[in-house]
Every structure is written in structure tokens, then in C-alpha cells.
Amino acid sequence: MATNYKSYDDLPPRSDPNYQKLWRLKNREKMRKYFKNRFDNMTPEERQEKIYKPRKSYAAVYRKENRPALYESQWKKRGIVNLTWDIYQKTLKKQNNKCKVCKEDMKLPHADHKHKTGKFRALLCAGCNLSMGRYEKYKKQFEEYLK
């Protein structure tokens, strides 16, 4: 059943996906007055700070603060069983931020693991990690081809 909300006198329940949009449309003038009063009551210094203050990227701050938890959950999803954030940092320092295979600097190190057991082996660059995974999957075909 399609609901038509053309008159804004009666708003739908808050669970309706259109509720906020309809509320803003209905209370547009009220919101303008609120924000105007808020800006008018500021000191000149506060206004300058408000106008020219660079905005924080809250998503970036969240990712930075929660990076270990996010990485560890991704590693577990991919089947890497014995890798923690501390082990990752120690390995990165031990490898001097270089790929274990090609010895190139890594922009974003990838955790290489043995696919059958899930054990962490080393940190590789994206290209080497992808190649290693393909080699493990098609080892017989690669060896036949190289003969």
C-alpha cells in the first residue's frame, strides 16, 4: 500500500524512512530561525572560528583509533588464525617495511598466510600476495607450464 504524504500537517510514524525529510520540510522556518539565532549570539571570535575552522573527518578518526580491531576482524574472516595487531607491527618492523618476496617498499602491507592451515607467514606487497595466492591455488598448472 503506497502512502501519499503531500500534506505535511500530519507526519508519518518515526519508523517511516521519509519521516526526517518530511519533518525538515514542515519545520524549515523553525530550523532557519534556530540556526540564525545561534549564529547571532556568537562572539566575533567564535564566528571566525565557526566559518574558517576546518572540519574533522570523523570517519578517518574512527578508522585510526579502531584500526587494530578492524584489521584483526578482517584477518579472522579470511582465515588467518595466529595474527594479532602486535605481531603485525613487529613483523612490519622486522621486515623494515619491505615485501618479503620482492624486497620493495610496501604502501599497504598484506598479511600472507598458508591457505590450508591459516597460519601467518609474512607481510607482502599487494602484487606478491596476489601472485602467491594464485600460485598456491594452481601450483600443478604452473609447474606443468614451466616445464
Side-chain angles (χ1 to χ4, degrees), residues 10-12 20 22-23 25-26 40 43 50 54 58 63 65 80 83 86 89 97 99 114 119 129-131 143:
D10 193 19
L11 289 173
Q20 285 186 332
L22 296 172
W23 188 91
L25 288 171
K26 181 179 178 182
D40 289 344
T43 64
K50 181 77 174 165
Y58 291 102
R63 284 193 303 272
E65 290 174 358
I80 305 173
L83 184 58
D86 294 330
Q89 292 289 13
N97 202 29
C99 175
K114 197 167 190 170
K119 287 191 174 183
N129 190 37
L130 182 63
S131 301
E143 288 174 358

Side-chain angles (χ1 to χ4, degrees), residues 117-130:
T117 62
K119 287 191 174 183
F120 169 71
R121 290 189 285 213
L123 294 174
L124 305 178
C125 65
C128 291
N129 190 37
L130 182 63

Side-chain angles (χ1 to χ4, degrees), residues 78-89:
R78 287 169 174 77
I80 305 173
V81 289
N82 63 336
L83 184 58
T84 63
W85 182 249
D86 294 330
I87 294 170
Y88 178 86
Q89 292 289 13

